[in-house]
Amino acid sequence: MGADFRGLNLKAMWHGLVRDGGAGDRIVPPTGFTAQLTLFSAGAMAFLAVFALALALATGRLAERWSSELAGSVTVRVSAPMDEQAAQTQTTMQVLSTTPGAGQPRLLPPEEVAQLLTPWFGPDMPVDALPVPALIELPIAGEDFDAQGLRLRLEAEAPGAVLDDHTEWRRPLVTAAHRLRVLGIVSLLLIAAASASMITLAAKAALAANGQVIRVLRLIGARDITIATAFVRRFTKRAAVGATVGTLCGMAGIAMLPGMNAAGGFLTGLGFQGWGWLLPLLIPVVAGAVGFFATRWAALTMLGAVR
Amino acid sequence: MIEMRDVGFGYGGADLLSNMTLTLQSGMFHFLTGPSGSGKTTLLRLCYADLLPTSGEMTAFGEDVRQLTRDGISDLRRRVGVVHQDTQFLDHLPVAENVALPLTISGQGVDMAALRDLLGWVGLSQHARALPPSLSGGERQRAALARAVILSPDLVLADEPTGNLDWDMSMRLMQLLIELNKSGKTVLVATHDLNLIRATKAQVAARVLRIANGTLHLAGADL
């Protein structure tokens, strides 16, 4: 027999939850393993939720940063025969200087170019001896910057110049960051669903173990709301307390992660920043809500079978 | 109070009770007797809507029991105090809290002086803090009676309340029920103990109903 949710007085349930239970709380006998199971599972899930939340936030920031940083400038590469290289570079610089929406172009000095090539050729490679193209960094200063128009001008005036607006690089990076963010959010949802399942199981076990108590209470005139509230209050508190401990442990773990510089950039920005540190504090609230609804469902389903 | 007209009931097979017509008269002491398995307990369970009739009409306090919602059933049970032969308690709560349980679950405050008086009336003052498993059979039945009457119900039902008690303890419990009846409560006691009925009838005017072959009859003058 399913639970009759239409008959549930949510307002009365809420009042029952927040007020001091007093003797009403004592009608449910103290339980051992279900209490520990709820506390532990809520704590463990909250701990994991902190990391999933951190991942979702960090990847969001990462996508935004990659997107804005790479979109803030373009690179022009000038590859021409040796005898035309200087002239085409000069022409390109002039074209770029007069491009609407573009900032001041900067020709990368040979040392910077060499630095860029170091990962591939090593520090001892004589870069000067190679036909390395000239690289010009052009900041984008206004919205009227027209990459396609610039490309056509360069094609006409300096055929060896190629404009790279980083689209090819940016798109997969931003896509990857967005997917990681979705992964973080999906993880949060899965954690909430798993928590609800475990709390429901624990609540059902407690209700089954207290079948006689429920029967006695019904026989002396207890309403479903009264019996359900006693269980709901207990499990909601346990879920919230367990999740609070798990959240604090998770936050401590995040705080102890190596910093951006110390980690060599590998764990770049995984964590919370500023007001973001307040977000994990919502996890115990959500856990309490999960406990509330999961136990309510379990209690009403069980009570429906008892006349 | 409780009215049944041509009520029938069966547990899936043939009817255990059939064409049962009964009116519990307000303020009256009733006995319900009959052989084991004749349906005494079933009839009592119908009275507090633990079972619903499969045929006929039945009202409790003017309401059709088949139309009662779950909350309506709870409200009915607060007006009907029940004492079972194998009364169950919440074993983790002391006797006093068990007795006060109907007040607790109905959201009413517990008047400690009234609770002490009630425990004194059933002779359990010394056991107020004891846990139910430590009580004897007679003490459990008296605790159950105290719990059944703490909300001052209109009707008190007792299902073989003396089944596990010796004669003295049985009469002590019956005295309490007689006192309740004299204070205006309607009482219905199911028992197969004819001696108990005779002994009680010597002290209070009682109506004796007998179930036999699934139907209800008013008992003869011998009872």
Side-chain angles (χ1 to χ4, degrees):
Chain A
M1 188 183 294
D4 184 2
F5 287 96
R6 287 168 303 177
L8 182 73
N9 185 338
L10 202 62
K11 191 177 171 188
M13 199 84 162
W14 172 250
H15 283 304
L17 186 69
V18 296
R19 73 174 164 75
D20 176 25
D25 268 356
R26 288 167 49 78
I27 61 177
V28 180
T31 49
F33 85 97
T34 56
Q36 290 158 13
L37 177 66
T38 311
L39 277 170
F40 174 76
S41 58
M45 287 299 167
F47 185 80
L48 296 175
V50 171
F51 285 92
L53 183 63
L55 175 71
L57 291 176
T59 48
R61 283 196 305 270
L62 208 57
E64 197 176 319
R65 202 176 72 212
W66 282 344
S67 191
S68 61
E69 279 182 4
L70 292 172
S73 66
V74 296
T75 304
V76 178
R77 189 178 73 247
V78 184
S79 300
M82 291 292 277
D83 54 335
E84 294 177 25
Q85 177 79 7
Q88 286 210 25
T89 302
Q90 185 62 32
T91 307
T92 303
M93 288 294 283
Q94 282 170 1
V95 169
L96 296 179
S97 301
T98 57
T99 299
Q104 189 60 39
R106 185 174 74 91
L107 179 63
L108 265 61
E111 312 83 64
E112 277 190 45
V113 175
Q115 203 174 359
L116 289 172
L117 294 173
T118 299
W120 283 271
F121 296 112
D124 302 326
M125 173 62 71
V127 177
D128 295 344
L130 295 172
V132 177
L135 295 176
I136 303 167
E137 184 186 355
L138 179 69
I140 296 171
E143 288 185 4
D144 53 343
F145 176 77
D146 176 12
Q148 193 53 32
L150 177 59
R151 209 169 263 130
L152 291 172
R153 278 184 68 198
L154 288 172
E155 202 175 304
E157 298 185 32
V162 177
L163 173 68
D164 178 7
D165 62 0
H166 307 148
T167 304
E168 281 185 32
W169 292 92
R170 193 171 61 206
R171 193 174 292 144
L173 284 174
V174 171
T175 304
H178 279 309
R179 284 186 183 161
L180 272 173
R181 185 182 210 179
V182 170
L183 202 63
I185 293 167
V186 169
S187 301
L188 280 172
L189 294 175
L190 283 175
I191 287 168
S195 301
S197 303
M198 279 188 277
I199 292 170
T200 303
L201 280 176
K204 280 194 164 182
L207 286 156
N210 290 301
Q212 185 58 37
V213 171
I214 292 171
R215 175 93 183 135
V216 168
L217 292 172
R218 279 294 299 171
L219 280 177
I220 61 171
R223 294 184 171 190
D224 288 349
I225 184 79
T226 306
I227 302 170
T229 300
F231 283 95
V232 167
R233 190 191 338 245
R234 186 166 287 190
F235 276 85
T236 301
K237 282 179 182 170
R238 282 174 193 162
V241 168
T244 301
V245 174
T247 300
L248 292 176
C249 291
M251 289 172 74
I254 291 283
M256 285 189 286
L257 277 178
M260 194 188 304
N261 296 331
F266 180 68
L267 294 172
T268 303
L270 181 60
F272 304 106
Q273 291 177 358
W275 291 101
W277 280 100
L278 295 179
L279 276 177
L281 299 179
L282 289 175
I283 291 173
V285 178
V286 174
V290 167
F292 176 91
F293 286 107
T295 314
R296 189 188 75 166
W297 178 81
L300 290 175
T301 304
M302 182 96 177
L303 284 166
V306 179
R307 186 161 177 83
Chain B
M1 188 166 281
I2 302 282
E3 286 198 28
M4 298 181 186
R5 188 173 303 162
D6 298 326
V7 161
F9 180 83
Y11 290 97
D15 275 0
L16 177 65
L17 305 175
S18 59
N19 298 321
M20 189 85 54
T21 295
L22 166 70
T23 300
L24 286 185
Q25 293 171 358
S26 185
M28 190 76 189
F29 200 113
H30 303 77
F31 277 109
L32 179 64
T33 188
S36 295
S38 59
K40 298 190 295 294
T41 297
T42 299
L43 183 63
L44 258 60
R45 290 176 70 187
L46 287 169
C47 290
Y48 58 89
D50 196 30
L51 299 173
L52 291 178
T54 49
S55 61
E57 294 172 16
M58 178 177 169
T59 60
F61 304 103
E63 300 221 34
D64 185 341
V65 290
R66 284 205 194 86
Q67 303 300 321
L68 290 175
T69 61
R70 290 182 65 81
D71 283 352
I73 291 172
S74 296
D75 293 342
L76 165 66
R77 288 175 184 170
R78 291 177 191 181
R79 299 182 69 179
V80 179
V82 185
V83 181
H84 296 91
Q85 183 177 359
D86 56 342
T87 295
Q88 299 293 332
F89 295 97
L90 304 192
D91 288 343
H92 64 288
L93 294 181
V95 169
E97 282 191 54
N98 264 287
V99 168
L101 211 48
L103 292 171
T104 305
I105 55 107
S106 59
Q108 300 178 39
V110 179
D111 180 341
M112 293 310 292
L115 180 60
R116 273 195 296 273
D117 286 349
L118 182 60
L119 288 171
W121 177 64
V122 294
L124 291 176
S125 298
Q126 303 300 316
H127 297 83
R129 292 183 182 177
L131 292 176
S134 69
L135 299 182
S136 69
E139 289 163 346
R140 286 176 73 85
Q141 291 304 82
R142 282 182 278 137
L145 181 60
R147 187 179 69 185
V149 302
I150 197 165
L151 283 178
S152 193
D154 302 301
L155 171 64
V156 178
L157 304 176
D159 185 10
E160 299 280 6
T162 61
N164 297 326
L165 307 182
D166 60 30
W167 179 256
D168 288 343
M169 195 55 72
S170 297
M171 286 313 297
R172 189 172 172 188
L173 189 68
M174 291 311 295
Q175 283 301 328
L176 295 173
L177 288 166
I178 289 167
E179 285 177 32
L180 274 176
N181 176 244
K182 286 182 174 171
S183 70
K185 306 293 181 195
T186 307
V187 177
L188 173 60
V189 179
T191 180
H192 63 274
D193 187 341
L194 301 184
N195 289 329
L196 187 77
I197 296 174
R198 291 188 187 104
T200 306
K201 280 188 74 175
Q203 300 178 57
V204 65
R207 191 169 166 236
V208 183
L209 307 161
R210 190 198 301 270
I211 297 183
N213 300 321
T215 55
L216 197 62
H217 310 276
L218 204 56
D222 58 322
L223 285 177

